[in-house]
């Protein structure tokens, strides 16, 4: 389909308020940067926005001598879209953590527009809707070799609210995400507490504390410690006979209840060993 047909198809799927308007990534992007060779100033420190460091949300602070390839200059509030395997949602807003020159690796496409709210653009580019568009036109054989092409990214639609509304939307998203993060933290703390209580329960059971009251009431005898081999029945090895046999492998065990739930029925001629 043509570029215009693709854009109309995407826009028809999402209705926007009447005081908003549709535009494209290319139409709003005013980025003009330079390509630099940091290793030519080996003693200079840089604030580097690399793809690996995006996972931590903290740029690398590194001297030019430690940067072995060309980079592009960026500025505060630039938005970085990762071109590598866009199924991984890597969108970064440059915040300038230091006073060192700001650099970004070539795997980022840089979006810059000082008249628009950087936070709004960042959240939109992180949205599932935009991520779906990003994954529509990829090149490469798969995995880390997949690439989004800037020529296509420039045509992707962007819903643009009035400036004040962009600010309100970004602030509201950050407020709600903060609440979600807090709720997630509480859930994780509950899970961690459950694991601690579960471990404590096992410890009490296996040291006799859990049944101490019962033993006192019933006058039961002392515990004893034996080797595992003393408790096991003798085992034997033999080849299966008959046309079929029941086979218990790892998949046949229900690990939650510690029982054999689904032994397989195999043909004897296909016995694993």
């Amino acid at each position: 389909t043509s570029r215009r047909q693709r854009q109309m198809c995407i826009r028809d799927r999402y209705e926007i308020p009447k005081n908003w308007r549709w535009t494209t990534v290319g139409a709003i992007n005013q980025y003009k940067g330079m390509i630099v060779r940091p290793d030519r100033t080996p003693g200079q420190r840089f604030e580097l926005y690399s793809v690996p460091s995006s996972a931590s949300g903290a740029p690398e602070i590194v001297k030019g001598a430690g940067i072995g390839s060309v980079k592009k200059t960026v500025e505060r509030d630039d938005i970085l879209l990762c071109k590598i395997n866009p199924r991984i949602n890597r969108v970064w807003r440059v915040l300038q953590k230091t006073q060192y020159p700001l650099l970004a690796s070539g795997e980022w496409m840089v979006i810059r527009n000082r008249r628009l709210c950087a936070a709004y653009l960042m959240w939109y580019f992180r949205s599932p809707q935009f991520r779906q568009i990003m994954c529509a036109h990829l090149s490469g054989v798969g995995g880390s070799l997949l690439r989004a092409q800037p020529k296509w990214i420039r045509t992707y639609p962007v819903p643009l609210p009035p400036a004040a509304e962009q600010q309100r939307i970004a602030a509201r998203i950050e407020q709600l995400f903060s609440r979600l993060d807090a709720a997630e933290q509480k859930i994780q703390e509950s899970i961690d507490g459950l694991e601690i209580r579960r471990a404590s329960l096992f410890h009490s059971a296996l040291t006799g504390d859990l049944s101490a009251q019962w033993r006192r009431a019933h006058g039961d005898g002392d515990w004893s410690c034996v080797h595992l081999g003393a408790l096991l029945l003798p085992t034997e090895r033999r080849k299966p006979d008959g046309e079929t046999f029941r086979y218990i492998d790892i998949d046949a065990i229900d690990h939650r209840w510690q029982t054999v739930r689904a032994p397989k029925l195999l043909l004897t001629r296909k016995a694993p060993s």
Side-chain angles (χ1 to χ4, degrees):
T1 59
S2 70
R3 168 179 156 181
R4 180 175 178 81
Q5 286 174 325
R6 285 196 311 275
Q7 290 183 5
M8 292 303 296
C9 178
I10 294 169
R11 294 177 182 183
D12 288 344
R13 293 172 57 189
Y14 306 108
E15 185 176 352
I16 60 176
K18 292 182 179 180
N19 64 333
W20 294 28
R21 66 181 178 88
W22 283 106
T23 183
T24 63
V25 174
I28 65 171
N29 193 9
Q30 300 173 351
Y31 172 72
K32 292 182 180 179
M34 297 186 300
I35 302 299
V36 298
R37 288 287 304 269
D39 57 354
R40 293 180 178 176
T41 53
Q44 171 69 57
R45 293 183 183 274
F46 294 93
E47 184 174 321
L48 176 61
Y49 289 77
S50 65
V51 172
S53 62
S54 65
S56 67
E60 300 176 56
I61 308 302
V62 59
K63 288 185 176 181
I67 304 176
S69 59
V70 298
K71 304 299 177 187
K72 59 181 69 173
T73 60
V74 291
E75 298 176 1
R76 182 181 177 87
D77 283 336
D78 284 348
I79 305 300
L80 309 178
L81 299 181
C82 186
K83 296 179 288 186
I84 305 175
N85 191 7
R87 293 190 177 93
I88 302 175
N89 199 342
R90 288 179 288 214
V91 179
W92 208 353
R93 177 186 174 188
V94 178
L95 292 177
Q96 190 169 12
K97 303 287 187 178
T98 69
Q99 296 304 312
Y100 301 130
L102 307 177
L103 298 179
S105 64
E107 298 298 349
W108 297 108
M109 180 174 177
V110 185
I111 312 297
R112 176 185 298 168
N113 192 310
R114 297 296 174 253
R115 300 181 62 184
L116 303 179
C117 174
Y120 170 78
L121 293 177
M122 179 192 70
W123 289 118
Y124 171 67
F125 292 140
R126 287 182 179 179
S127 69
Q129 291 84 351
F130 186 79
R131 191 59 30 192
Q132 184 179 10
I133 301 170
M134 278 279 285
C135 295
H137 300 93
L138 303 177
S139 62
V141 295
S144 62
L145 299 178
L146 285 174
R147 293 289 189 279
Q149 299 298 313
K151 68 177 181 179
W152 294 117
I153 298 175
R154 295 186 188 99
T155 69
Y156 296 158
V158 178
L160 204 59
E165 194 166 354
Q166 294 174 35
Q167 298 280 354
R168 290 195 297 270
I169 290 171
R172 184 61 172 160
I173 290 175
E174 289 166 5
Q175 180 187 44
L176 294 175
F177 273 27
S178 179
R179 293 180 183 177
L180 289 174
D181 290 342
E184 185 178 14
Q185 178 64 29
K186 290 181 180 179
I187 292 172
Q188 187 59 51
E189 290 174 356
S190 298
I191 293 174
D192 294 341
L194 178 63
E195 291 301 321
I196 292 173
R197 290 192 292 273
R198 181 176 294 164
S200 177
L201 177 61
F202 276 121
H203 182 269
S204 297
L206 299 177
T207 57
D209 290 344
L210 193 64
S211 55
Q213 183 177 355
W214 187 92
R215 292 200 308 277
R216 286 194 297 268
H218 293 79
D220 207 6
D222 295 332
W223 285 38
S224 60
C225 184
V226 298
H227 291 290
L228 179 61
L231 305 176
L232 302 180
L233 295 173
T235 59
E236 62 175 297
R237 295 174 181 270
R238 64 182 177 87
K239 291 185 178 181
D241 52 18
E243 185 178 352
T244 62
F245 68 100
R246 297 176 75 199
Y247 179 60
I248 300 172
D249 61 3
I250 296 298
D251 293 337
I253 307 298
D254 185 322
H255 293 284
R256 180 177 181 184
W257 300 106
Q258 307 302 322
T259 57
V260 178
R261 286 295 182 91
K264 296 178 180 178
L265 187 66
L266 298 183
L267 294 173
T268 300
R269 67 175 184 273
K270 293 184 178 181
S273 60

